[in-house]
Amino acid sequence: MMETNKDPLGILLRSKRETTRFQVLVEVAEHQPSIRQQEVAEKLGVTPQAISEYIRDLSDDGLISAEGRGRYVVTRKGIEWVLQSAEQLESYARHIRRDIIQQVAIWAAIAAEDLKKGDEVGVFMKGGWLLAGRERQAAMGVAIDDAEKGTDIGVARLNGIIEHTEGTVCVCKVPRIERGGSRSIEKERLYKIVQKAEIIGAVGVEAYMALKRSGIRSDMFYGAREGVIEAAFHGMNCAIIVVDSELTDFIKRLETAGLSYTIHDLAAQ
């Protein structure tokens, strides 16, 4: 009797090589004894040379046997390995359904008004927060308990798309200390830019001091890059003050995230 792997991932899903070996072996089992390596390569997205190497490897391990040119069959040992690997995949799928999906089946939101257990609620984004209220929205669910306005509430059976608009990011560049740092910026310009921002972050000591010299409190310093990006994803308009040596990397991060941004050079002219 085969021993069940308690690890839901198992070696099969931890190793790309093992995953491909499994796929090649399944293809051999499905099409044996005549195997067209070119077709298998195209199906799996690898080169024919890679398929040849995998077949040789599977043969050396006794999982398949050759019966002439281009003819292979899966051995008893190979069948047992396929079954064991399939069991790992089934175990992982059960883990996803039972342990993962159930965890996200209930969404945490803030009650926009007093709600009762069983109320049908609309879920929407406002001010960077997920809210639930009785007004119909594009995403609807059911309250799992009573909740007073302004408190957290669980929403089950959520259906639809939660509508929200991503925020923009104003990126303000500050010279590094060798070029004057916070002492060489246009403070009034900085002040005007951040007035429209709901979240303000700083990257670099020079950036933090630029805000302080302008009488502006920073909401984020440590982890400001990711914090500002997360806030923008949740619909918040943000301003981030960045020392010039960090600017390029942060712009690349914004490009990757697909967020809208503007760049402002605060260096005094």
Side-chain angles (χ1 to χ4, degrees):
M1 184 175 178
M2 225 179 305
E3 182 181 349
T4 301
N5 193 335
K6 295 181 180 179
D7 181 358
L9 275 173
I11 190 172
L12 180 67
L13 294 179
R14 292 187 187 280
S15 166
K16 183 178 180 180
R17 177 174 177 77
E18 286 300 304
T19 300
T20 306
R21 268 167 52 95
F22 173 75
Q23 291 175 300
V24 172
L25 190 54
V26 168
E27 290 298 315
V28 173
E30 184 177 359
H31 300 289
Q32 61 184 351
S34 298
I35 308 302
R36 297 182 181 275
Q37 295 187 19
Q38 179 69 39
E39 293 179 1
V40 175
E42 291 175 355
K43 185 174 182 179
L44 301 186
V46 297
T47 65
Q49 292 82 359
I51 295 298
S52 295
E53 292 177 7
Y54 278 112
I55 287 178
R56 190 183 311 116
D57 184 51
L58 291 168
S59 180
D60 291 342
D61 287 348
L63 301 178
I64 62 175
S65 64
E67 294 192 346
R69 185 176 179 82
R71 296 174 64 85
Y72 302 92
V73 295
V74 181
T75 65
R76 181 178 181 83
K77 181 180 178 181
I79 292 172
E80 290 178 352
W81 188 70
V82 168
L83 291 174
Q84 187 178 38
S85 299
E87 189 176 49
Q88 288 181 4
L89 292 174
E90 289 173 355
S91 175
Y92 190 51
R94 287 194 301 271
H95 167 63
I96 293 172
R97 289 193 299 267
R98 183 187 64 234
D99 303 325
I100 306 301
I101 299 302
Q102 289 301 317
Q103 290 181 24
V104 299
I106 297 176
W107 293 66
I110 296 176
E113 55 193 298
D114 291 348
L115 297 171
K116 294 292 184 182
K117 181 178 180 179
D119 282 350
E120 185 179 29
V121 294
V123 180
F124 58 100
M125 293 290 298
K126 184 176 181 181
W129 296 98
L130 192 64
L131 301 180
R134 290 194 179 88
E135 186 176 342
R136 292 200 65 82
Q137 303 289 339
M140 299 294 296
V142 177
I144 66 169
D145 214 337
D146 296 349
E148 295 179 356
K149 180 179 179 180
T151 64
D152 52 336
I153 185 171
V155 179
R157 302 202 296 274
L158 188 64
N159 288 296
I161 299 174
I162 300 172
E163 294 183 344
H164 83 289
T165 303
E166 292 175 353
T168 59
V169 181
C170 291
V171 184
C172 301
K173 183 174 71 171
V174 173
R176 56 185 175 276
I177 193 65
E178 300 95 308
R179 297 177 52 236
S182 65
R183 296 175 180 81
S184 61
I185 68 161
E186 296 179 358
K187 291 190 292 183
E188 290 188 6
R189 186 166 176 235
L190 171 60
Y191 188 82
K192 288 180 180 178
I193 292 171
V194 301
Q195 288 307 298
K196 298 179 181 179
E198 297 167 279
I199 294 291
I200 302 172
V203 176
V205 173
E206 299 95 331
Y208 176 81
M209 291 306 301
L211 287 169
K212 188 172 182 180
R213 284 175 177 272
S214 302
I216 304 164
R217 180 180 176 83
S218 173
D219 297 308
M220 303 176 186
F221 182 69
Y222 299 109
R225 298 175 185 84
E226 294 305 315
V228 163
I229 288 172
E230 187 71 16
F233 271 132
H234 283 76
M236 307 286 281
N237 291 319
C238 305
I240 185 164
I241 321 306
V242 184
V243 64
D244 57 11
S245 57
E246 301 286 342
L247 181 69
T248 301
D249 286 344
F250 183 66
I251 295 301
K252 288 179 181 178
R253 181 71 181 87
L254 288 175
E255 293 281 358
T256 301
L259 290 168
S260 300
Y261 64 90
T262 57
I263 301 175
H264 307 269
D265 190 345
L266 297 179
Q269 302 300 318

